[in-house]
Amino acid sequence: MKPLSIPALVLITVVGAGLGAQMMETLATRGHSLPIAGWLTTLVELVLCAVLLAYGLPMRRYLAESEERRLHPSLTRRRHQIDLPTAYRTVLLARACAYTGAVVGGLFSGQALFLTITGTGDPLSGILPTAAAALAGLALGVLGVVVERWGTLPPEDGEQGAEGAGAGS
């Protein structure tokens, strides 16, 4: 599986910010009330960050222990265990969180920027919760990229990789 493309995620975030600002502009010019993100949105995004971190840390520990055992072979029992389906699901969750964080962070960033520039929103009840939701969304995206990178396996050594490729043919 190819790793996440950082430029694609940045593009998604920028397009989401433009879409969020344009949506607020359209609603404001038509006289509709503006949607404001509440604190619950920020809380949900932070809970998603915590869940992703809770699944990602055991995978990181296992791979770090595997690297340590590769450098210093040992017959002692492993301290950290993770099975392949769980690791794969964790990487998929990380990818989904990265994309979700890019979209949501972009949308709420655009909305917060619109509210700040136009002076439409109340700073405490409008701009602050929307900006907090934007930051939590961006944090979710960054954490998704980090945990996805934790799940990459180290490349095989040159000799072992050549032998493994020849054996499968």
Short mmCIF file of all heavy atoms in Angstrom, two decimals, residues 63-125:
data_model
loop_
_atom_site.label_atom_id
_atom_site.label_comp_id
_atom_site.label_asym_id
_atom_site.label_seq_id
_atom_site.Cartn_x
_atom_site.Cartn_y
_atom_site.Cartn_z
N LEU A 63 6.57 -2.55 16.34
CA LEU A 63 7.55 -2.36 15.27
C LEU A 63 8.89 -1.86 15.81
O LEU A 63 9.94 -2.23 15.28
CB LEU A 63 6.99 -1.40 14.23
CG LEU A 63 5.86 -1.99 13.37
CD1 LEU A 63 5.27 -0.95 12.47
CD2 LEU A 63 6.36 -3.17 12.57
N ALA A 64 8.87 -1.06 16.87
CA ALA A 64 10.12 -0.62 17.48
C ALA A 64 10.84 -1.81 18.12
O ALA A 64 12.07 -1.93 18.01
CB ALA A 64 9.86 0.46 18.52
N GLU A 65 10.08 -2.69 18.76
CA GLU A 65 10.69 -3.88 19.35
C GLU A 65 11.22 -4.81 18.25
O GLU A 65 12.29 -5.42 18.41
CB GLU A 65 9.67 -4.62 20.21
CG GLU A 65 10.25 -5.83 20.91
CD GLU A 65 9.24 -6.55 21.77
OE1 GLU A 65 8.10 -6.07 21.91
OE2 GLU A 65 9.61 -7.61 22.31
N SER A 66 10.52 -4.90 17.13
CA SER A 66 11.00 -5.73 16.01
C SER A 66 12.31 -5.19 15.46
O SER A 66 13.22 -5.96 15.14
CB SER A 66 9.95 -5.77 14.90
OG SER A 66 8.79 -6.42 15.35
N GLU A 67 12.41 -3.88 15.35
CA GLU A 67 13.66 -3.27 14.87
C GLU A 67 14.80 -3.52 15.87
O GLU A 67 15.92 -3.82 15.48
CB GLU A 67 13.45 -1.77 14.66
CG GLU A 67 14.68 -1.04 14.18
CD GLU A 67 15.17 -1.48 12.81
OE1 GLU A 67 14.38 -2.06 12.05
OE2 GLU A 67 16.35 -1.26 12.51
N GLU A 68 14.47 -3.43 17.15
CA GLU A 68 15.48 -3.69 18.18
C GLU A 68 15.93 -5.14 18.12
O GLU A 68 17.12 -5.44 18.24
CB GLU A 68 14.89 -3.38 19.56
CG GLU A 68 15.84 -3.64 20.71
CD GLU A 68 15.17 -3.38 22.05
OE1 GLU A 68 14.31 -2.50 22.13
OE2 GLU A 68 15.52 -4.10 23.01
N ARG A 69 15.01 -6.07 17.91
CA ARG A 69 15.36 -7.48 17.81
C ARG A 69 16.15 -7.77 16.53
O ARG A 69 16.94 -8.71 16.50
CB ARG A 69 14.11 -8.36 17.85
CG ARG A 69 13.54 -8.50 19.23
CD ARG A 69 12.25 -9.30 19.19
NE ARG A 69 11.82 -9.61 20.52
CZ ARG A 69 12.07 -10.76 21.15
NH1 ARG A 69 12.73 -11.71 20.55
NH2 ARG A 69 11.64 -10.95 22.37
N ARG A 70 15.91 -7.01 15.48
CA ARG A 70 16.67 -7.20 14.26
C ARG A 70 18.12 -6.80 14.48
O ARG A 70 19.04 -7.45 14.02
CB ARG A 70 16.06 -6.39 13.12
CG ARG A 70 16.69 -6.69 11.77
CD ARG A 70 16.10 -5.84 10.67
NE ARG A 70 16.46 -4.43 10.78
CZ ARG A 70 17.63 -3.91 10.41
NH1 ARG A 70 18.58 -4.69 9.94
NH2 ARG A 70 17.85 -2.62 10.52
N LEU A 71 18.31 -5.70 15.22
CA LEU A 71 19.67 -5.24 15.49
C LEU A 71 20.37 -6.07 16.55
O LEU A 71 21.57 -6.32 16.46
CB LEU A 71 19.64 -3.77 15.91
CG LEU A 71 19.12 -2.78 14.87
CD1 LEU A 71 19.02 -1.39 15.47
CD2 LEU A 71 20.03 -2.80 13.65
N HIS A 72 19.61 -6.49 17.56
CA HIS A 72 20.17 -7.27 18.68
C HIS A 72 19.27 -8.50 18.88
O HIS A 72 18.35 -8.46 19.69
CB HIS A 72 20.21 -6.45 19.96
CG HIS A 72 20.91 -5.13 19.80
ND1 HIS A 72 22.27 -5.03 19.62
CD2 HIS A 72 20.43 -3.87 19.76
CE1 HIS A 72 22.60 -3.76 19.49
NE2 HIS A 72 21.50 -3.02 19.57
N PRO A 73 19.55 -9.61 18.17
CA PRO A 73 18.69 -10.80 18.27
C PRO A 73 18.62 -11.31 19.72
O PRO A 73 19.60 -11.28 20.46
CB PRO A 73 19.37 -11.81 17.37
CG PRO A 73 20.21 -11.01 16.44
CD PRO A 73 20.61 -9.78 17.21
N SER A 74 17.43 -11.76 20.08
CA SER A 74 17.21 -12.25 21.43
C SER A 74 16.18 -13.38 21.39
O SER A 74 15.28 -13.38 20.55
CB SER A 74 16.71 -11.11 22.31
OG SER A 74 16.34 -11.59 23.57
N LEU A 75 16.31 -14.32 22.32
CA LEU A 75 15.34 -15.40 22.43
C LEU A 75 14.32 -15.15 23.53
O LEU A 75 13.47 -16.00 23.79
CB LEU A 75 16.07 -16.73 22.69
CG LEU A 75 16.99 -17.21 21.56
CD1 LEU A 75 17.73 -18.47 21.98
CD2 LEU A 75 16.19 -17.44 20.30
N THR A 76 14.40 -14.01 24.17
CA THR A 76 13.43 -13.70 25.22
C THR A 76 12.06 -13.45 24.60
O THR A 76 11.92 -13.15 23.43
CB THR A 76 13.86 -12.44 26.01
OG1 THR A 76 13.93 -11.33 25.12
CG2 THR A 76 15.19 -12.66 26.69
N ARG A 77 11.06 -13.59 25.45
CA ARG A 77 9.69 -13.40 25.00
C ARG A 77 9.45 -11.93 24.64
O ARG A 77 9.96 -11.03 25.28
CB ARG A 77 8.75 -13.83 26.11
CG ARG A 77 7.33 -13.81 25.71
CD ARG A 77 6.46 -14.30 26.81
NE ARG A 77 5.08 -14.09 26.40
CZ ARG A 77 4.06 -14.63 26.97
NH1 ARG A 77 4.24 -15.42 28.00
NH2 ARG A 77 2.85 -14.38 26.54
N ARG A 78 8.62 -11.72 23.61
CA ARG A 78 8.28 -10.34 23.19
C ARG A 78 7.47 -9.65 24.27
O ARG A 78 6.60 -10.24 24.91
CB ARG A 78 7.45 -10.37 21.91
CG ARG A 78 8.26 -10.62 20.67
CD ARG A 78 7.33 -10.43 19.47
NE ARG A 78 8.07 -10.31 18.26
CZ ARG A 78 8.54 -9.15 17.79
NH1 ARG A 78 8.32 -8.05 18.44
NH2 ARG A 78 9.22 -9.12 16.68
N ARG A 79 7.73 -8.35 24.42
CA ARG A 79 6.95 -7.55 25.37
C ARG A 79 5.66 -7.05 24.74
O ARG A 79 4.67 -6.84 25.42
CB ARG A 79 7.77 -6.35 25.84
CG ARG A 79 8.98 -6.71 26.68
CD ARG A 79 9.75 -5.48 27.00
NE ARG A 79 10.11 -4.85 25.72
CZ ARG A 79 11.24 -4.23 25.46
NH1 ARG A 79 12.12 -4.12 26.39
NH2 ARG A 79 11.49 -3.71 24.29
N HIS A 80 5.67 -6.82 23.42
CA HIS A 80 4.52 -6.25 22.72
C HIS A 80 4.07 -7.21 21.62
O HIS A 80 4.88 -7.73 20.87
CB HIS A 80 4.88 -4.90 22.11
CG HIS A 80 5.46 -3.95 23.10
ND1 HIS A 80 4.71 -3.35 24.08
CD2 HIS A 80 6.72 -3.51 23.29
CE1 HIS A 80 5.49 -2.57 24.81
NE2 HIS A 80 6.72 -2.66 24.36
N GLN A 81 2.76 -7.42 21.53
CA GLN A 81 2.19 -8.30 20.52
C GLN A 81 1.12 -7.55 19.73
O GLN A 81 0.38 -6.74 20.29
CB GLN A 81 1.54 -9.53 21.17
CG GLN A 81 2.49 -10.43 21.92
CD GLN A 81 3.41 -11.17 20.97
OE1 GLN A 81 3.07 -11.42 19.83
NE2 GLN A 81 4.60 -11.49 21.46
N ILE A 82 1.06 -7.80 18.44
CA ILE A 82 -0.01 -7.28 17.60
C ILE A 82 -0.14 -8.22 16.42
O ILE A 82 0.85 -8.72 15.90
CB ILE A 82 0.25 -5.83 17.15
CG1 ILE A 82 -1.00 -5.25 16.51
CG2 ILE A 82 1.43 -5.74 16.24
CD1 ILE A 82 -0.93 -3.75 16.32
N ASP A 83 -1.37 -8.52 16.03
CA ASP A 83 -1.57 -9.40 14.89
C ASP A 83 -1.73 -8.58 13.62
O ASP A 83 -2.00 -7.38 13.65
CB ASP A 83 -2.75 -10.34 15.10
CG ASP A 83 -4.05 -9.61 15.36
OD1 ASP A 83 -3.98 -8.43 15.74
OD2 ASP A 83 -5.12 -10.21 15.19
N LEU A 84 -1.53 -9.23 12.49
CA LEU A 84 -1.53 -8.54 11.21
C LEU A 84 -2.88 -7.88 10.88
O LEU A 84 -2.90 -6.73 10.43
CB LEU A 84 -1.10 -9.50 10.11
CG LEU A 84 -0.89 -8.88 8.73
CD1 LEU A 84 0.19 -7.81 8.80
CD2 LEU A 84 -0.54 -9.94 7.73
N PRO A 85 -4.02 -8.55 11.09
CA PRO A 85 -5.29 -7.87 10.79
C PRO A 85 -5.52 -6.61 11.63
O PRO A 85 -6.02 -5.61 11.11
CB PRO A 85 -6.36 -8.93 11.08
CG PRO A 85 -5.66 -10.23 10.95
CD PRO A 85 -4.26 -9.98 11.40
N THR A 86 -5.12 -6.63 12.88
CA THR A 86 -5.27 -5.45 13.73
C THR A 86 -4.36 -4.32 13.25
O THR A 86 -4.78 -3.16 13.20
CB THR A 86 -4.95 -5.79 15.20
OG1 THR A 86 -5.82 -6.84 15.62
CG2 THR A 86 -5.13 -4.60 16.09
N ALA A 87 -3.14 -4.66 12.87
CA ALA A 87 -2.23 -3.63 12.36
C ALA A 87 -2.76 -3.04 11.05
O ALA A 87 -2.71 -1.82 10.85
CB ALA A 87 -0.84 -4.23 12.14
N TYR A 88 -3.30 -3.89 10.18
CA TYR A 88 -3.84 -3.41 8.91
C TYR A 88 -5.05 -2.51 9.15
O TYR A 88 -5.17 -1.45 8.52
CB TYR A 88 -4.22 -4.61 8.03
CG TYR A 88 -4.69 -4.22 6.66
CD1 TYR A 88 -3.82 -3.70 5.73
CD2 TYR A 88 -6.03 -4.36 6.31
CE1 TYR A 88 -4.25 -3.34 4.46
CE2 TYR A 88 -6.47 -4.00 5.05
CZ TYR A 88 -5.58 -3.50 4.13
OH TYR A 88 -6.02 -3.13 2.89
N ARG A 89 -5.92 -2.90 10.05
CA ARG A 89 -7.09 -2.07 10.37
C ARG A 89 -6.66 -0.74 10.99
O ARG A 89 -7.29 0.29 10.76
CB ARG A 89 -8.03 -2.82 11.30
CG ARG A 89 -8.74 -3.95 10.62
CD ARG A 89 -9.68 -4.68 11.57
NE ARG A 89 -10.12 -5.90 10.96
CZ ARG A 89 -10.03 -7.09 11.54
NH1 ARG A 89 -9.51 -7.21 12.74
NH2 ARG A 89 -10.46 -8.16 10.91
N THR A 90 -5.62 -0.77 11.78
CA THR A 90 -5.12 0.47 12.39
C THR A 90 -4.59 1.42 11.32
O THR A 90 -4.84 2.62 11.37
CB THR A 90 -4.04 0.15 13.43
OG1 THR A 90 -4.59 -0.73 14.42
CG2 THR A 90 -3.53 1.40 14.10
N VAL A 91 -3.87 0.88 10.35
CA VAL A 91 -3.37 1.71 9.26
C VAL A 91 -4.53 2.28 8.45
O VAL A 91 -4.52 3.45 8.06
CB VAL A 91 -2.37 0.92 8.38
CG1 VAL A 91 -2.03 1.68 7.11
CG2 VAL A 91 -1.11 0.63 9.17
N LEU A 92 -5.55 1.46 8.19
CA LEU A 92 -6.72 1.96 7.47
C LEU A 92 -7.46 3.03 8.27
O LEU A 92 -7.93 4.02 7.70
CB LEU A 92 -7.66 0.81 7.12
CG LEU A 92 -7.19 -0.14 6.05
CD1 LEU A 92 -8.24 -1.22 5.79
CD2 LEU A 92 -6.89 0.59 4.76
N LEU A 93 -7.57 2.84 9.58
CA LEU A 93 -8.19 3.85 10.43
C LEU A 93 -7.39 5.15 10.38
O LEU A 93 -7.96 6.24 10.32
CB LEU A 93 -8.31 3.35 11.87
CG LEU A 93 -8.84 4.35 12.89
CD1 LEU A 93 -10.30 4.69 12.60
CD2 LEU A 93 -8.70 3.79 14.30
N ALA A 94 -6.08 5.02 10.39
CA ALA A 94 -5.22 6.21 10.33
C ALA A 94 -5.40 6.95 9.01
O ALA A 94 -5.48 8.18 8.98
CB ALA A 94 -3.76 5.81 10.51
N ARG A 95 -5.50 6.22 7.91
CA ARG A 95 -5.72 6.85 6.61
C ARG A 95 -7.07 7.56 6.59
O ARG A 95 -7.19 8.68 6.09
CB ARG A 95 -5.64 5.82 5.50
CG ARG A 95 -4.25 5.28 5.28
CD ARG A 95 -4.24 4.15 4.27
NE ARG A 95 -4.38 4.65 2.91
CZ ARG A 95 -3.36 4.93 2.12
NH1 ARG A 95 -2.13 4.76 2.56
NH2 ARG A 95 -3.56 5.36 0.91
N ALA A 96 -8.09 6.90 7.11
CA ALA A 96 -9.43 7.51 7.14
C ALA A 96 -9.43 8.76 8.01
O ALA A 96 -10.05 9.78 7.66
CB ALA A 96 -10.45 6.50 7.66
N CYS A 97 -8.74 8.71 9.14
CA CYS A 97 -8.65 9.89 10.01
C CYS A 97 -7.87 11.02 9.35
O CYS A 97 -8.21 12.19 9.53
CB CYS A 97 -8.01 9.51 11.34
SG CYS A 97 -9.11 8.60 12.43
N ALA A 98 -6.86 10.69 8.57
CA ALA A 98 -6.09 11.72 7.88
C ALA A 98 -6.97 12.44 6.86
O ALA A 98 -6.98 13.68 6.79
CB ALA A 98 -4.87 11.11 7.20
N TYR A 99 -7.73 11.69 6.08
CA TYR A 99 -8.62 12.31 5.10
C TYR A 99 -9.76 13.07 5.79
O TYR A 99 -10.10 14.18 5.38
CB TYR A 99 -9.20 11.25 4.15
CG TYR A 99 -8.22 10.78 3.12
CD1 TYR A 99 -7.88 9.44 3.02
CD2 TYR A 99 -7.61 11.67 2.24
CE1 TYR A 99 -6.98 8.99 2.07
CE2 TYR A 99 -6.70 11.24 1.30
CZ TYR A 99 -6.39 9.90 1.22
OH TYR A 99 -5.49 9.46 0.28
N THR A 100 -10.33 12.49 6.83
CA THR A 100 -11.40 13.17 7.56
C THR A 100 -10.89 14.45 8.20
O THR A 100 -11.56 15.49 8.15
CB THR A 100 -11.98 12.24 8.64
OG1 THR A 100 -12.47 11.05 8.01
CG2 THR A 100 -13.09 12.91 9.41
N GLY A 101 -9.72 14.39 8.80
CA GLY A 101 -9.14 15.58 9.41
C GLY A 101 -8.86 16.67 8.40
O GLY A 101 -9.05 17.86 8.67
N ALA A 102 -8.41 16.28 7.20
CA ALA A 102 -8.14 17.26 6.15
C ALA A 102 -9.43 17.94 5.70
O ALA A 102 -9.49 19.18 5.57
CB ALA A 102 -7.45 16.61 4.96
N VAL A 103 -10.49 17.17 5.50
CA VAL A 103 -11.76 17.74 5.04
C VAL A 103 -12.38 18.61 6.12
O VAL A 103 -12.73 19.78 5.90
CB VAL A 103 -12.73 16.62 4.61
CG1 VAL A 103 -14.13 17.17 4.38
CG2 VAL A 103 -12.22 15.92 3.37
N VAL A 104 -12.52 18.05 7.32
CA VAL A 104 -13.19 18.77 8.41
C VAL A 104 -12.35 19.97 8.85
O VAL A 104 -12.89 21.06 9.09
CB VAL A 104 -13.46 17.80 9.58
CG1 VAL A 104 -13.94 18.53 10.81
CG2 VAL A 104 -14.47 16.76 9.17
N GLY A 105 -11.05 19.78 8.97
CA GLY A 105 -10.18 20.90 9.35
C GLY A 105 -10.24 22.02 8.33
O GLY A 105 -10.25 23.20 8.69
N GLY A 106 -10.29 21.67 7.05
CA GLY A 106 -10.39 22.68 6.01
C GLY A 106 -11.72 23.42 6.06
O GLY A 106 -11.76 24.66 5.99
N LEU A 107 -12.81 22.68 6.17
CA LEU A 107 -14.13 23.32 6.22
C LEU A 107 -14.24 24.29 7.40
O LEU A 107 -14.67 25.44 7.23
CB LEU A 107 -15.23 22.26 6.32
CG LEU A 107 -15.59 21.54 5.03
CD1 LEU A 107 -16.56 20.40 5.32
CD2 LEU A 107 -16.20 22.49 4.04
N PHE A 108 -13.88 23.83 8.57
CA PHE A 108 -14.00 24.68 9.75
C PHE A 108 -12.99 25.83 9.74
O PHE A 108 -13.26 26.90 10.27
CB PHE A 108 -13.89 23.88 11.04
CG PHE A 108 -15.11 23.02 11.30
CD1 PHE A 108 -14.98 21.70 11.67
CD2 PHE A 108 -16.39 23.53 11.17
CE1 PHE A 108 -16.10 20.91 11.91
CE2 PHE A 108 -17.51 22.76 11.40
CZ PHE A 108 -17.35 21.44 11.77
N SER A 109 -11.83 25.61 9.11
CA SER A 109 -10.87 26.71 8.99
C SER A 109 -11.45 27.82 8.11
O SER A 109 -11.32 29.01 8.42
CB SER A 109 -9.55 26.22 8.38
OG SER A 109 -8.91 25.33 9.23
N GLY A 110 -12.06 27.42 7.01
CA GLY A 110 -12.69 28.41 6.14
C GLY A 110 -13.82 29.15 6.82
O GLY A 110 -13.96 30.37 6.68
N GLN A 111 -14.61 28.42 7.60
CA GLN A 111 -15.71 29.06 8.32
C GLN A 111 -15.18 30.03 9.38
O GLN A 111 -15.68 31.15 9.51
CB GLN A 111 -16.60 28.00 8.97
CG GLN A 111 -17.41 27.22 7.98
CD GLN A 111 -18.28 26.17 8.65
OE1 GLN A 111 -18.24 25.98 9.86
NE2 GLN A 111 -19.05 25.47 7.84
N ALA A 112 -14.17 29.60 10.12
CA ALA A 112 -13.61 30.47 11.16
C ALA A 112 -12.95 31.69 10.53
O ALA A 112 -13.07 32.81 11.06
CB ALA A 112 -12.60 29.69 12.00
N LEU A 113 -12.28 31.51 9.43
CA LEU A 113 -11.66 32.63 8.73
C LEU A 113 -12.72 33.62 8.23
O LEU A 113 -12.55 34.83 8.38
CB LEU A 113 -10.82 32.10 7.56
CG LEU A 113 -9.94 33.11 6.84
CD1 LEU A 113 -8.89 33.64 7.81
CD2 LEU A 113 -9.29 32.48 5.64
N PHE A 114 -13.81 33.12 7.68
CA PHE A 114 -14.89 33.99 7.23
C PHE A 114 -15.48 34.77 8.40
O PHE A 114 -15.70 35.99 8.30
CB PHE A 114 -15.99 33.16 6.55
CG PHE A 114 -17.19 33.98 6.18
CD1 PHE A 114 -17.20 34.72 5.01
CD2 PHE A 114 -18.31 34.02 6.99
CE1 PHE A 114 -18.30 35.48 4.66
CE2 PHE A 114 -19.41 34.78 6.66
CZ PHE A 114 -19.40 35.51 5.48
N LEU A 115 -15.74 34.09 9.51
CA LEU A 115 -16.32 34.77 10.67
C LEU A 115 -15.37 35.81 11.24
O LEU A 115 -15.80 36.88 11.69
CB LEU A 115 -16.68 33.74 11.75
CG LEU A 115 -17.83 32.79 11.42
CD1 LEU A 115 -17.96 31.73 12.49
CD2 LEU A 115 -19.13 33.55 11.24
N THR A 116 -14.08 35.54 11.21
CA THR A 116 -13.10 36.48 11.74
C THR A 116 -12.94 37.69 10.83
O THR A 116 -12.93 38.84 11.30
CB THR A 116 -11.73 35.78 11.90
OG1 THR A 116 -11.89 34.64 12.74
CG2 THR A 116 -10.72 36.71 12.51
N ILE A 117 -12.84 37.47 9.54
CA ILE A 117 -12.62 38.57 8.61
C ILE A 117 -13.83 39.49 8.53
O ILE A 117 -13.70 40.71 8.54
CB ILE A 117 -12.24 38.02 7.21
CG1 ILE A 117 -10.85 37.42 7.26
CG2 ILE A 117 -12.31 39.11 6.16
CD1 ILE A 117 -10.43 36.72 6.00
N THR A 118 -15.02 38.90 8.44
CA THR A 118 -16.22 39.73 8.27
C THR A 118 -16.72 40.31 9.58
O THR A 118 -17.50 41.25 9.57
CB THR A 118 -17.36 38.92 7.64
OG1 THR A 118 -17.69 37.81 8.48
CG2 THR A 118 -16.98 38.44 6.25
N GLY A 119 -16.28 39.77 10.70
CA GLY A 119 -16.76 40.26 11.99
C GLY A 119 -18.19 39.87 12.27
O GLY A 119 -18.86 40.45 13.12
N THR A 120 -18.68 38.85 11.57
CA THR A 120 -20.07 38.42 11.71
C THR A 120 -20.30 37.67 13.01
O THR A 120 -21.30 37.87 13.67
CB THR A 120 -20.46 37.50 10.53
OG1 THR A 120 -20.17 38.19 9.32
CG2 THR A 120 -21.92 37.14 10.58
N GLY A 121 -19.38 36.84 13.39
CA GLY A 121 -19.60 35.96 14.53
C GLY A 121 -19.18 36.58 15.85
O GLY A 121 -18.30 37.43 15.92
N ASP A 122 -19.85 36.15 16.89
CA ASP A 122 -19.47 36.53 18.25
C ASP A 122 -18.18 35.78 18.60
O ASP A 122 -18.10 34.57 18.40
CB ASP A 122 -20.60 36.15 19.20
CG ASP A 122 -20.27 36.48 20.64
OD1 ASP A 122 -19.61 37.51 20.87
OD2 ASP A 122 -20.69 35.71 21.53
N PRO A 123 -17.17 36.47 19.13
CA PRO A 123 -15.88 35.80 19.38
C PRO A 123 -15.98 34.59 20.32
O PRO A 123 -15.33 33.58 20.08
CB PRO A 123 -15.02 36.90 19.99
CG PRO A 123 -15.59 38.16 19.48
CD PRO A 123 -17.06 37.91 19.35
N LEU A 124 -16.78 34.68 21.37
CA LEU A 124 -16.83 33.57 22.32
C LEU A 124 -17.77 32.45 21.90
O LEU A 124 -17.46 31.27 22.10
CB LEU A 124 -17.24 34.07 23.70
CG LEU A 124 -16.16 34.83 24.44
CD1 LEU A 124 -16.67 35.31 25.79
CD2 LEU A 124 -14.93 33.97 24.63
N SER A 125 -18.89 32.77 21.31
CA SER A 125 -19.85 31.71 20.99
C SER A 125 -19.82 31.29 19.52
O SER A 125 -20.46 30.31 19.17
CB SER A 125 -21.27 32.17 21.34
OG SER A 125 -21.64 33.28 20.54
#
